[in-house]
Amino acid sequence: MSRRLPILFLAILCAACAKKSMPPLPGDSVSADAAVTLATPKLTSGVSTSPPTIEPLGAIESRLFPVDVVMEHQGAIALDAAQRDAITKEVARAQTDLVKLQFDLEAEKEKLVKVLDPAKVDEAKAKDAAASLMERENRIKATHLAMLVRIKNVLTPDQQQKLKTLRDGDRCPPLPPPPPLIVGDGGRKDLGF
């Protein structure tokens, strides 16, 4: 049992820091809790033989600050009451809009799923349903982006710089390489971890 503990810990660490390897399909860039993927999906086969790595923040994400990062570090950046109120109002405004947009998105996702159900899919209908779904996704992304821009505009340049430093320090570190294996007696033996 004690040998498995470090391996279990490493597996949990990998799972916690790993990113989804498949690019988002229509309907997937907005999660059920209205979290938004703003980065352009990378084309990939979805199969990776290399260990998971921490990708740098995208060009957009690196210039903006999610509200949870601002809340987590509000003391460190000396966020004042007026700034907190302004950010709270922006988040409430966005959440109000996002709830309606999320309902619309899910309705469009259901329509696309129904079009894709038959063994023989009508390509034109699938294309139209996907376009409608992606239009809803884009509305959600635009609302989310507008909120992030407004949050950034509330912060001073010094607060923004401090948040960048704190955010970069909070990201998961790269995983260490696996321990070497000793090969002997025709079998593999680990080093006692």
Side-chain angles (χ1 to χ4, degrees):
M1 179 69 174
S2 64
R3 291 177 166 209
R4 293 182 184 161
L5 193 56
I7 294 171
L8 178 62
F9 175 75
L10 251 168
I12 292 170
L13 183 62
C14 286
C17 294
K19 282 191 147 189
K20 189 170 143 182
S21 62
M22 294 291 294
L25 294 172
D28 289 344
S29 65
V30 180
S31 67
D33 65 353
V36 177
T37 302
L38 294 173
T40 306
K42 293 173 180 63
L43 296 177
T44 176
S45 66
V47 178
S48 175
T49 57
S50 62
T53 59
I54 298 173
E55 293 185 27
L57 292 172
I60 296 170
E61 289 88 356
S62 67
R63 288 161 175 80
L64 298 170
F65 307 100
V67 68
D68 58 323
V69 172
V70 176
M71 287 189 301
E72 182 179 344
H73 299 294
Q74 61 185 306
I77 64 170
L79 194 70
D80 66 38
Q83 288 175 308
R84 184 171 37 208
D85 289 345
I87 291 171
T88 301
K89 287 177 186 173
E90 288 305 328
V91 170
R93 175 180 167 184
Q95 284 180 337
T96 299
D97 294 341
L98 287 169
V99 168
K100 182 189 179 315
L101 292 169
Q102 190 72 26
F103 268 102
D104 294 344
L105 177 78
E106 291 302 320
E108 293 301 321
K109 193 184 289 187
E110 284 180 17
K111 290 177 187 175
L112 177 58
V113 167
K114 285 181 184 176
V115 169
L116 297 173
D117 268 343
K120 202 104 157 128
V121 176
D122 182 327
E123 190 174 340
K125 285 182 182 178
K127 183 178 176 181
D128 290 343
S132 184
L133 176 64
M134 289 183 272
E135 180 185 325
R136 299 315 187 279
E137 281 184 324
N138 286 337
R139 287 183 192 168
I140 289 173
K141 288 179 182 183
T143 300
H144 191 249
L145 180 63
M147 178 191 69
L148 294 174
V149 167
R150 290 181 188 121
I151 289 171
K152 181 176 180 176
N153 287 340
V154 167
L155 302 171
T156 67
D158 288 340
Q159 288 172 320
Q160 292 175 25
Q161 186 56 47
K162 180 77 172 178
L163 268 180
K164 282 180 190 175
T165 303
L166 292 166
R167 175 186 59 204
D168 293 345
D170 287 347
R171 293 180 50 91
C172 292
L175 296 173
L181 297 175
I182 298 173
V183 178
D185 297 333
R188 295 168 56 135
K189 297 178 185 175
D190 67 27
L191 295 176
F193 289 112

